[in-house]
Amino acid sequence: MSALHVLRAGPQALVTDRGRPGNAHLGVPPSGALDGPAYELANRLAGNAPGAAALELLGGGLRLRARGNQVVAVTGAPAPVRLAGRAVGSHTALYLPDGAELDVGAPVGGLRVYLAVAGGLDLPAALGSRSTDLLSGLGPAPLSDGDELGVGPRPPTLPAYGPVPFSLPVGPLRLRVRLGPRADWFDDPRSALTGPRWTVTPDGNRIGVRLDGPPPRRHAGTRDRELPSEGMVTGSVQAPPDGPPVVFLADHPTTGGYPVIAVVEPADLPGLAQAVPGTSVRFTVLG
Amino acid sequence: MDTGMDTVARPCGNRALLFETGSADAVAAIVAAVRAADLPEVTELVPAARTVLVEVAPGSGLDRVRAAARTADPAAGRAGTGVLHTIGVDYDGADLQLVADTAGIGTDEVVALHSGAEYTVDFCGFAPGFGYLSGLPEPLRQPRLESSRTAVPAGSVGVADVYSCVYPRRSPGGWRLIGRTDVVLFDPAAERPALFTPGDRVRFEPR
């Protein structure tokens, strides 16, 4: 059987793809790869059709052995990659002969590493997606040592020519936001977001990233008001009454009861998903 | 924006609008109107207690969504439109006595009231397949528990505020529990994974 045998899963290895959008009315989060461009690139480098199931590794640390000859590609946060003990490159197609072992180390910048295998991971889908959804427990369980991951038939396409360039973020992370839907609950929401320098806290996960900084203040008219639960989009900046804001990522609850002061531009979310704890963040308000 | 029925459209980024209305009927009317417009760009349509979130695909505008919402007619009503689910319940929940005491009635009357009503799935959220069922008789409209349980068993039937619910799976929860059912609320492998869709109707039947 064509497969990848997981010798060491590392801190958190999850199956991922483009997620299961379109099910929020059933209470199902969109889920899917947090750094979408890195995930798509891994599939392209491995020669896969878009949407093939791959791995999202939080903090790297994966060790696996090929069953049958495999082609893989490692992208996302730059991490040392070793094939049969020898250092090789990331962001390029790698040929793993049957029995070869591949090691992905801890990233030297960023958080999330993606690993695609030619043929894609052959695992059962839930609602059309193989993504692990940590909030609702849909999709395959997080990887464990000893897991055997089936690999689908090799695509007829050749792996893309590589390696491709990648960049590491330097300096504060800039997040563009649009105010609303509940910006009118706060005193001067624009200044409340753009004034402070925010910091990414260590307790973030696939559901959301919590930012350290001064909580946006509600004005007198809304201070004691409760908001009935309402739908939330990915990227919503939710501001609870007694704490700093949370930016919701792909596994976010589909509805929430705290006011959303602004929404982060979708194109800026992959950068936030790669922001290590302590990263400083500046908001820019669009429009 | 005024849709002519006290509805405000609030922006959520540039790909979604949150329509805020005054009633659950207005929510249902907007959902029906947007659905009837059959806009291919709509990717999510999420009713909630007083709002409807509509999200469109990247690159699509929101003008057609606004126009569709403007055609909503809350007077059209929503009774009898959805699938009717009948759910068998063992009324032996941990808070049955508390609910009876709070209402000032006996536990058998709680059962009679709860199973005598017809509910509407107003919206889903909190967990996959968790529906907020409106139509709860007045005496059973009660606050949540002072502190929520860390683990409510799957199939628990609860009440809180103006809603009843069934917990699709084991999860934390603060609703007052009056019974339990074996009905599977959410099966990701099924063709229709969630039993409840907003607009469906529900009746509970004592076992």
Side-chain angles (χ1 to χ4, degrees):
Chain A
M1 183 184 96
S2 190
L4 296 174
H5 183 66
V6 178
L7 301 173
R8 189 184 61 227
Q12 185 190 81
L14 306 176
V15 178
T16 196
D17 59 13
R18 290 177 161 180
R20 41 185 79 81
N23 294 292
H25 64 292
L26 305 177
V28 175
S31 201
L34 291 191
D35 185 344
Y39 153 77
E40 304 284 357
L41 178 62
N43 267 335
R44 191 160 64 80
L45 290 172
N48 284 336
L55 293 177
E56 180 179 277
L57 313 171
L58 177 68
L62 178 80
R63 183 179 178 88
L64 48 79
R65 182 187 293 137
R67 291 233 191 282
N69 301 331
Q70 308 291 350
V71 172
V72 301
V74 178
T75 64
V81 181
R82 300 183 81 83
L83 173 53
R86 286 183 39 218
V88 293
S90 66
H91 295 76
T92 188
L94 298 168
Y95 176 68
L96 266 62
D98 181 30
E101 290 184 8
L102 183 85
D103 268 290
V104 180
V108 293
L111 284 179
R112 292 181 164 90
V113 179
Y114 293 83
L115 187 150
V117 57
L121 296 172
D122 185 16
L123 293 161
L127 284 149
S129 164
R130 294 165 176 83
S131 282
T132 304
D133 168 357
L134 290 181
L135 179 76
S136 45
L138 295 180
L143 263 53
S144 297
D145 298 356
D147 280 357
E148 191 88 2
L149 306 172
V151 174
R154 185 84 58 85
T157 44
L158 284 173
Y161 185 74
V164 297
F166 57 92
S167 60
L168 267 177
V170 177
L173 180 69
R174 294 206 167 271
L175 294 180
R176 294 166 298 161
V177 297
R178 292 173 197 268
L179 293 180
R182 298 288 175 184
D184 58 349
W185 278 48
F186 298 90
D187 268 338
D188 195 0
R190 186 179 290 264
S191 306
L193 287 171
T194 58
R197 177 170 289 220
W198 304 91
T199 310
V200 173
T201 66
D203 50 357
N205 53 30
R206 287 187 44 90
I207 295 167
V209 173
R210 191 177 303 274
L211 300 175
D212 201 11
R217 282 213 334 256
R218 288 190 191 180
H219 55 71
T222 58
R223 203 157 292 151
D224 301 315
R225 267 175 71 189
E226 292 259 341
L227 187 66
S229 277
E230 59 190 26
M232 288 193 308
V233 297
T234 304
S236 288
V237 183
Q238 196 187 59
D242 304 316
V246 180
V247 183
F248 281 107
L249 300 181
D251 287 3
H252 69 86
T254 55
T255 58
Y258 294 126
V260 170
I261 185 170
V263 176
V264 177
E265 282 289 283
D268 292 354
L269 290 174
L272 179 62
Q274 292 288 12
V276 297
T279 299
S280 89
V281 171
R282 301 304 296 251
F283 284 112
T284 309
V285 175
L286 296 173
Chain B
M1 184 190 73
D2 182 6
T3 62
M5 47 178 235
D6 295 332
T7 296
V8 179
R10 297 172 174 270
C12 297
N14 65 350
R15 273 180 44 201
L17 287 172
L18 185 73
F19 293 98
E20 183 177 27
T21 73
S23 71
D25 284 343
V27 166
I30 290 173
V31 170
V34 175
R35 210 169 266 156
D38 198 20
L39 304 173
E41 67 267 34
V42 171
T43 52
E44 301 278 13
L45 181 58
V46 191
R50 290 288 176 269
T51 57
V52 181
L53 176 71
V54 186
E55 189 176 36
V56 297
S60 302
L62 289 157
D63 288 348
R64 298 206 295 179
V65 171
R66 288 176 194 274
R70 245 178 251 129
T71 68
D73 177 13
R78 55 184 174 136
T81 51
V83 177
L84 174 66
H85 307 277
T86 303
I87 292 180
V89 177
D90 290 316
Y91 281 99
D92 56 1
D95 306 313
L96 184 62
Q97 191 65 52
L98 171 67
V99 170
D101 292 347
T102 305
I105 55 179
T107 55
D108 51 344
E109 287 174 88
V110 171
V111 174
L113 280 170
H114 189 260
S115 60
E118 182 172 296
Y119 302 82
T120 303
V121 181
D122 273 4
F123 60 101
C124 297
F126 172 68
F130 186 99
Y132 291 78
L133 313 178
S134 67
L136 192 66
E138 186 70 52
L140 305 183
R141 298 180 184 181
Q142 298 181 11
R144 287 160 201 251
L145 298 170
E146 297 264 321
S147 64
S148 68
R149 293 185 168 90
T150 53
V152 172
S156 295
V157 177
V159 295
D161 190 19
V162 298
Y163 301 111
S164 187
C165 79
V166 184
Y167 283 87
R169 62 186 185 120
R170 186 181 162 89
S171 65
W175 295 40
R176 296 183 175 194
L177 306 181
I178 60 175
R180 64 194 158 82
T181 176
D182 301 326
V183 169
V184 174
L185 271 284
F186 192 83
D187 174 7
E191 180 141 348
R192 287 182 43 139
L195 184 68
F196 295 158
T197 295
D200 284 358
R201 296 170 297 142
V202 180
R203 295 197 76 102
F204 295 102
E205 209 170 65
R207 288 196 298 204

